[in-house]
Amino acid sequence: RLRDAAPAGWEVCIISADTVSDGDGGAAPHDEVLAAVASAEAYVGFGLSRDLFLAAPGLRWVHSAAAGVRSLLFPEMRASTVILTNSAGVHAEPMAETVLGGVLYLLRGLDLARARQRERRWDRAAFVGAETPMREVRDCRALIIGAGGIGSAIARRLTALGAACVGVRRHPERGVPHGFARVVGPDAWEALLPESDLLILSAPATAETQALVGRAALERLPGRAIVVNVARGSLLDETALAELIAAGRLRGAVLDVFETEPLPAESPLWGLSSVVITPHVSAVSPRGFWERELELIIDNWHRYVGGAPMRNVVDKEAGY
């Protein structure tokens, strides 16, 4: 499809060497990539390392198949006129389904059911009575930090099941994306924590979001709250989260990203049955990803050649 879609006069060089798609990408480049990029005008891949950027003096457009671009914003990239685009929104659908699955798992007490199943024990006591953890989505209020493509996809699903969703975005004046009841700015979300049953992180990793949700914020959540992180591990205090869950102060968590990846074996999160851990794979959807990614690449390629505004252009100063 890429070769067939190439504008007139363009040569497409497809690298055969393996690449690394984890996180923002940008692993040390293979010699094959270094040789090919030396004369390239456009680069498409999973991230881009500084060494690769410096080896390509003719680059005018870089596209990353990852949504996060923090590792690409080295000084030379920031100072350049190279157009940087990312894949924000491409991963939204499978990530939103992962979030929904994890939230339902905890709301319906399936973590308790699995524990009793392993013990071959029929025990209804934990599921009934005044202290039951069993809840319906329609009884939940969700605070979603990051109201972009991923956050909106999550909100649409939760709203369809009856939840009330409030989004947090940098520029709330730009409107309320579909799925949200309302949006607030970065200065207003902490006041909403005491009434938030679900705290969901889907914002990009930037200087402003570094350590955004710390112990003080987590302690303001109600005891029944579930914390979800499909953004980046740098946004969340994992130590405080683990301690509060272990103490019964929070219901649980759904975590796909971590401060250190792979998550160290000694992390207390591994031992908490009410924490759902996935190894940074919430976006995985082989067919869906490539359908959406190829459409974005090809459309942007023709926009670039035609001088039209491109999609998913990264604000290098904002970081996304």
Side-chain angles (χ1 to χ4, degrees), residues 102-119 126-127 133-134 226 245 250-253 272-276:
V103 166
L104 287 172
Y105 181 84
L106 293 174
L107 287 179
R108 300 310 304 159
L110 297 183
D111 57 322
L112 304 178
R114 285 291 296 160
R116 283 150 183 77
Q117 182 177 342
R118 286 191 293 270
E119 299 172 358
F127 300 92
M134 308 286 274
I226 296 168
I245 293 174
L250 295 173
R251 171 66 180 93
L272 298 172
S273 61
S274 60
V275 175
V276 179

Side-chain angles (χ1 to χ4, degrees), residues 2 9 13 16 23 26 46 48 58 68 83 92 101 128 134 157-158 170 188 196-197 208 227 229 265 272 278 297:
L2 287 170
C13 177
S16 60
F46 285 101
L48 178 83
I83 300 169
V128 299
M134 308 286 274
R157 286 161 172 76
L158 290 174
R170 190 181 183 197
S196 299
D197 307 291
E208 288 72 26
V227 177
N229 191 6
L272 298 172
T278 52
I297 293 169

Side-chain angles (χ1 to χ4, degrees), residues 1-12 14 294 298 301-302:
R1 284 186 60 187
L2 287 170
R3 289 193 175 101
D4 290 345
W10 280 75
E11 175 187 355
V12 179
I14 296 178
L294 283 171
I298 292 169
W301 197 358
H302 287 272

Side-chain angles (χ1 to χ4, degrees), residues 52-134:
L52 193 57
F53 182 80
L54 295 178
L59 275 183
R60 297 294 177 267
W61 169 38
V62 169
H63 174 77
S64 177
V69 293
R70 191 175 187 182
S71 64
L72 282 75
L73 297 176
F74 37 81
E76 293 86 354
M77 172 65 83
R78 285 181 179 271
S80 76
T81 58
V82 172
I83 300 169
L84 175 60
T85 58
N86 69 358
S87 297
V90 170
H91 307 279
E93 301 304 308
M95 291 179 72
E97 292 181 7
T98 295
V99 171
L100 182 60
V103 166
L104 287 172
Y105 181 84
L106 293 174
L107 287 179
R108 300 310 304 159
L110 297 183
D111 57 322
L112 304 178
R114 285 291 296 160
R116 283 150 183 77
Q117 182 177 342
R118 286 191 293 270
E119 299 172 358
R120 298 174 180 264
R121 178 161 59 100
W122 182 274
D123 176 17
R124 301 181 69 245
F127 300 92
V128 299
E131 300 302 319
T132 177
M134 308 286 274

Side-chain angles (χ1 to χ4, degrees), residues 3 39 66 70 94-95 113 149 177 186 190 192-193 222 245 255 266 290 300 311 316:
R3 289 193 175 101
S39 59
R70 191 175 187 182
M95 291 179 72
E190 291 188 74
L192 302 177
L193 289 171
I245 293 174
L255 306 174
E266 62 270 19
W290 285 112
N300 257 350
R311 296 160 55 189
K316 297 177 187 176

Side-chain angles (χ1 to χ4, degrees), residues 193-194 196 198-199 216-223 225-227 249-250:
L193 289 171
S196 299
L198 307 174
L199 175 61
L218 293 170
E219 288 179 343
R220 297 187 68 184
L221 289 166
I226 296 168
V227 177
R249 178 61 183 75
L250 295 173

Side-chain angles (χ1 to χ4, degrees), residues 250-275:
L250 295 173
R251 171 66 180 93
V254 180
L255 306 174
D256 184 56
V257 291
F258 304 88
E259 182 68 33
T260 299
E261 296 182 1
L263 181 65
E266 62 270 19
S267 170
L269 292 169
W270 287 112
L272 298 172
S273 61
S274 60
V275 175

